[in-house]
Structure formats: C-alpha cells, structure tokens
Amino acid sequence: ANNRNYILTPENYTLFEQYVPEFGSHHSKFFLMYYEQEGFLRVVISTANNRKWEYEANTNAVWFQDFPVKQKQGVGAKSSEFEDDLVRYFRCYKDKRPGT
C-alpha cells in the first residue's frame, strides 16, 4: 500500500454503534478499514477507548494487520481461521443487541 493520507468523512465511512448498558460492559475497540484501490482490508484492534486521555495517561496497545481482498466469493471460497473467528465474533454481537 502507498502512504496516501486518508480523511474520514461521512461519505467514506460507516459507524456502527453497539448497545452498551449503563454500567459494566464488554465492548470491542476495533476498526475495519477497506482500501478499495489498494485491494486490502486493514483490521485494527485497540485496548484503549477512543479518547485522547486514554493514549496520553494510560498504557495501551494497538494491533493491526492488512489482509488482501479475497478474489473468489461464494461456495468453495477459502477462508482463514482468523476470518472465521472474526465473523463468528461479529455474529455474536449482532445476536446480543436488544430486539434481535
């Protein structure tokens, strides 16, 4: 991938908000960034809440990896163990929302 700067605007991102109860909840902190022209998906997972003070005053970590876009879709398309786990994780989130 090249080193172009990307500016997030409402036209090029989608925000998904998870239901969070008032107190004490598990909540993931991740980004899925699709770079269509470059042909990859960047997965970013953070231990920090997305607040400036989290990065300034606390010790946190960020993991990221770029994955090539799959060329084949549908029946017989191979997936990785990571992809299978990530899809299963997202489905669990969906199933736990109020009203689902």
Side-chain angles (χ1 to χ4, degrees):
N2 63 31
N3 290 325
R4 294 190 314 185
N5 291 321
Y6 291 88
I7 299 172
L8 294 177
T9 64
E11 295 79 32
N12 65 9
Y13 76 87
T14 303
L15 176 65
F16 294 91
E17 294 185 64
Q18 180 62 31
Y19 167 76
V20 179
E22 186 175 355
F23 297 104
S25 66
H26 163 82
H27 58 286
S28 296
K29 295 157 271 274
F30 65 88
F31 298 90
L32 299 176
M33 299 184 294
Y34 176 52
Y35 294 84
E36 184 175 14
Q37 291 179 347
E38 290 82 357
F40 69 89
L41 175 73
R42 176 168 291 164
V43 178
V44 181
I45 301 172
S46 173
T47 61
N49 289 308
N50 198 17
R51 303 283 184 257
K52 183 178 177 183
W53 62 267
E54 282 274 345
Y55 292 95
E56 293 177 342
N58 297 316
T59 301
N60 286 291
V62 175
W63 172 89
F64 74 93
Q65 185 169 339
D66 296 333
F67 295 92
V69 173
K70 293 169 69 170
Q71 298 302 313
K72 293 183 179 181
Q73 298 294 324
V75 178
K78 296 209 177 231
S79 64
S80 69
E81 184 177 355
F82 179 79
E83 178 183 357
D84 293 342
D85 288 344
L86 194 60
V87 168
R88 188 170 29 258
Y89 183 79
F90 290 151
R91 286 186 178 140
C92 288
Y93 254 80
K94 179 180 181 273
D95 294 342
K96 293 187 184 335
R97 288 183 300 175
T100 59

